[in-house]
Amino acid sequence: MKSAFRSLLNDQQVEAVETIDRPLLIIAGAGSGKTRVITYRIAHLLARGVPQSEILAVTFTNKAAREMAQRIRALVPKKLAKLTVSTFHAFGVQLLREHGSLLGYRDRFSIYDSQDQASLLKETARDLGLKTETLDLAAAAQAISAVKTSRTGWTPETKHLKPLFKEYQRNLKLYNAVDFDDLIMLPIEILSKFPEAQKACHERYRHILVDEFQDTSSAQYDLLRLLAGPGAVVCVVGDYD
């Protein structure tokens, strides 16, 4: 396998591709072939007999995930139906589909986009008797998102939104819906509270790869820590930021 990479990878890239027995942090500048290393590393894992289902590769945009999957398919001459290459949020959807019932979500829950979220916030504000014409929905959504993802706590400027936040969350659950932040935070809750769900993930994902690691949020990092079980090999690739 090493010789097959020689024409396309430099020595350091080959070493990163073939170091598959321990956790690995790969730091390199923009345009240096970081994503190429991830894709060849996955191809190398498959060539070494690692089952597709044991590999999880995550990145930050749908476009990047599609491009990574396409690159892997070009390197591996077989179907890759059980290989997981996705964004953090798409992976969160997958985990919620499998384990969301543990939190009381029914099958086929809805995923609210920003417009849906604004509509529900407005509806919720009306139910609470708030004056929607004076409520900055965009600012309220940003404040709720920051609190929900633990980026910040309630401040003197936002604490009046606590009742709205609580009722908004209740209404989401009532409508069997989740918003974008929930796609990270609810999987964290599931893996934190339900050992059987975490064990299932630990047994499944033995190799976890993360592209553009410098863009990982605190919540996404927490999710990665919960996903990586004993003996899991985590490989992250990022730049100097």
Side-chain angles (χ1 to χ4, degrees), residues 26-205:
I26 302 169
I27 302 175
S32 58
K34 298 189 298 294
T35 302
R36 180 188 303 168
V37 166
I38 288 278
T39 56
Y40 274 88
R41 184 181 173 88
I42 292 172
H44 181 60
L45 287 168
L46 294 171
R48 290 287 299 271
V50 175
Q52 297 177 28
S53 58
E54 292 186 2
I55 300 172
L56 168 64
V58 287
T59 187
F60 289 86
T61 67
N62 290 322
K63 180 181 178 182
R66 285 194 301 269
E67 289 179 352
M68 187 184 296
Q70 289 169 357
R71 289 190 190 188
I72 297 167
R73 283 195 293 269
L75 294 173
V76 180
K78 60 182 177 180
K79 292 183 179 180
L80 300 173
K82 295 183 179 181
L83 178 68
T84 302
V85 179
S86 74
T87 64
F88 276 96
H89 290 86
F91 177 75
V93 173
Q94 177 181 321
L95 197 147
L96 284 172
R97 299 284 186 213
E98 296 176 2
H99 303 289
S101 61
L102 294 171
L103 296 178
Y105 287 89
R106 304 183 299 280
D107 291 342
R108 298 186 180 183
F109 56 83
S110 301
I111 301 172
Y112 279 13
D113 60 17
S114 57
Q115 186 174 354
D116 297 324
Q117 183 185 33
S119 296
L120 182 58
L121 280 172
K122 193 170 185 178
E123 175 187 326
T124 304
R126 288 200 198 98
D127 292 342
L128 292 173
L130 302 177
K131 294 182 179 180
T132 56
E133 61 272 13
T134 60
L135 179 66
D136 187 336
L137 289 175
Q142 289 178 0
I144 286 172
S145 175
V147 170
K148 183 185 288 194
T149 57
S150 301
R151 298 196 307 274
T152 185
W154 296 108
T155 68
E157 293 76 24
T158 62
K159 64 182 181 180
H160 66 284
L161 295 171
K162 280 186 180 182
L164 179 62
F165 171 58
K166 184 176 180 180
E167 193 67 9
Y168 166 75
Q169 287 298 110
R170 193 188 74 83
N171 283 338
L172 274 175
K173 191 73 170 289
L174 183 65
Y175 292 141
N176 196 40
V178 298
D179 63 19
F180 201 59
D181 291 324
D182 288 330
L183 298 180
I184 301 297
M185 304 312 295
L186 291 179
I188 288 175
E189 184 176 355
I190 288 170
L191 296 178
S192 299
K193 290 184 176 179
F194 300 98
E196 66 274 25
Q198 187 180 45
K199 183 180 178 182
C201 288
H202 286 178
E203 291 177 347
R204 180 185 304 178
Y205 301 114

